Amino acid sequence: MSGEGGGGGERGGFGRGRGRGRGDRRRGDRRGGRREEEGWVPVTKLGRLVKEGRITSMEEIFLFSLPVKEAEIIDFFLKDKLQDEVMKIMPVQKQSSAGQRTRFKAFVAVGDTNGHIGLGVKCSSEVANAIRGAILAAKLNVCPVRRGYWGRVSALPHTVPCKVKGKCGSVRVRLIPAPRGTGLVASPAGKKLLHMAGVDDCYTSACGHTRTMGNFIKALFYALRSTYGYLSPELWRDDELTPNPYQEHTDFLAKKAL
């Protein structure tokens, strides 16, 4: 009987499979706990340079258009200043053979109110997971926002440097510089996004189906991102070209890789 019982337990590998699954979970928990104790362990060249202090600001990353693949890099520079805002959560459905499958789509914006803004979108079967994934995606999409003046150049920049526009789907959004003290002439969602980008005064103009919140905030984000796409006269000065961080610190990267 004992042999039959043992055979039944081993049949199809079910018993072994269950045992391996429980063991993997326990080992995974231990690995996760060890990672929390050790802190951030970078896995990219850029992450290693940031953690070792070889890159000291976000501007160095943007200057050489280095792709950011780890959200911890953004946290390293902007953790104390970064704030996030859930812009919209909407259910989406997919028709399957078993019926309708409902998931949740989250739009999250992150910014430091000082010239950095990011927007992330994530779809998941649970709202919490969608928000968490959207925050991660927004951090990886953080980009610089250039600000300027309307009229006299004094004090800190307060508005967009020139008229810029962005589009997504049928929505077209245009940002227009405004005098100091005007405030943000925009919809509630637009005001949140502009404030997180560090813009204090701005006129906005939009057309298309702006009720589609996802496309509207995407178009606004694309407009803010395009502010560094215009070469105005104050940027005509000659700047000395510096080597790429990967080239400058190639010895350090090679040594740590061994």
Side-chain angles (χ1 to χ4, degrees):
M1 294 297 290
S2 60
E4 292 178 3
E10 297 292 334
R11 187 181 57 190
F14 295 128
R16 291 193 301 270
R18 284 198 297 270
R20 280 203 303 271
R22 285 195 295 271
D24 286 343
R25 281 199 294 271
R26 287 196 295 269
R27 287 196 295 271
D29 293 341
R30 287 199 295 269
R31 284 199 300 268
R34 192 183 305 125
R35 277 200 297 268
E36 290 179 2
E37 293 174 4
E38 295 176 356
W40 171 40
V41 179
V43 296
T44 61
K45 291 181 180 179
L46 181 60
R48 288 160 58 192
L49 291 176
V50 168
K51 189 171 183 181
E52 292 295 327
R54 305 297 178 105
I55 293 179
T56 57
S57 68
M58 291 285 295
E59 281 60 40
E60 291 185 49
I61 298 175
F62 296 137
L63 178 63
F64 294 97
S65 300
L66 302 177
V68 178
K69 300 295 182 67
E70 297 179 84
E72 291 84 359
I73 295 174
I74 306 299
D75 289 332
F76 186 86
F77 290 116
L78 306 176
K79 186 172 185 179
D80 298 332
K81 307 172 186 176
L82 208 61
Q83 49 184 279
D84 55 79
E85 179 79 28
V86 179
M87 306 299 292
K88 184 177 178 62
I89 298 175
M90 57 182 290
V92 293
Q93 290 183 332
K94 173 185 176 181
Q95 187 69 37
S96 64
S97 59
Q100 290 183 339
R101 176 188 176 193
T102 302
R103 304 171 77 195
F104 298 95
K105 192 175 185 180
F107 295 84
V108 176
V110 298
D112 64 346
T113 67
N114 193 26
H116 298 99
I117 188 73
L119 182 66
V121 184
K122 178 66 177 177
C123 193
S124 179
S125 57
E126 294 184 9
V127 174
N129 291 340
I131 294 175
R132 195 178 303 115
I135 291 174
L136 189 66
K139 288 179 180 178
L140 296 178
N141 285 332
V142 166
C143 65
V145 177
R146 186 174 163 220
R147 293 165 293 170
Y149 300 90
W150 186 96
R152 189 175 65 175
V153 178
S154 62
L156 295 175
H158 62 98
T159 186
V160 290
C162 57
K163 295 177 183 178
V164 291
K165 60 183 178 180
K167 63 179 181 178
C168 182
S170 69
V171 182
R172 305 289 186 272
V173 173
R174 193 180 189 210
L175 304 181
I176 304 168
R180 193 181 296 273
T182 301
L184 299 174
V185 184
S187 66
K191 285 182 180 179
K192 287 181 185 177
L193 215 57
L194 290 168
H195 173 71
M196 295 176 78
V199 178
D200 299 325
D201 308 290
C202 185
Y203 294 120
T204 62
S205 172
C207 62
H209 201 274
T210 55
R211 283 183 58 192
T212 307
M213 180 66 71
N215 287 352
F216 175 71
I217 58 180
K218 279 185 179 180
L220 188 55
F221 173 69
Y222 296 151
L224 288 169
R225 191 174 64 179
S226 67
T227 51
Y228 267 104
Y230 295 91
L231 189 65
S232 52
E234 61 266 22
L235 299 178
W236 290 355
R237 64 180 185 274
D238 293 331
D239 290 328
E240 182 181 355
L241 293 177
T242 57
N244 187 292
Y246 294 157
Q247 181 181 356
E248 184 179 357
H249 304 290
T250 182
D251 294 336
F252 167 77
L253 293 173
K255 180 181 65 175
K256 298 292 284 187
L258 293 176

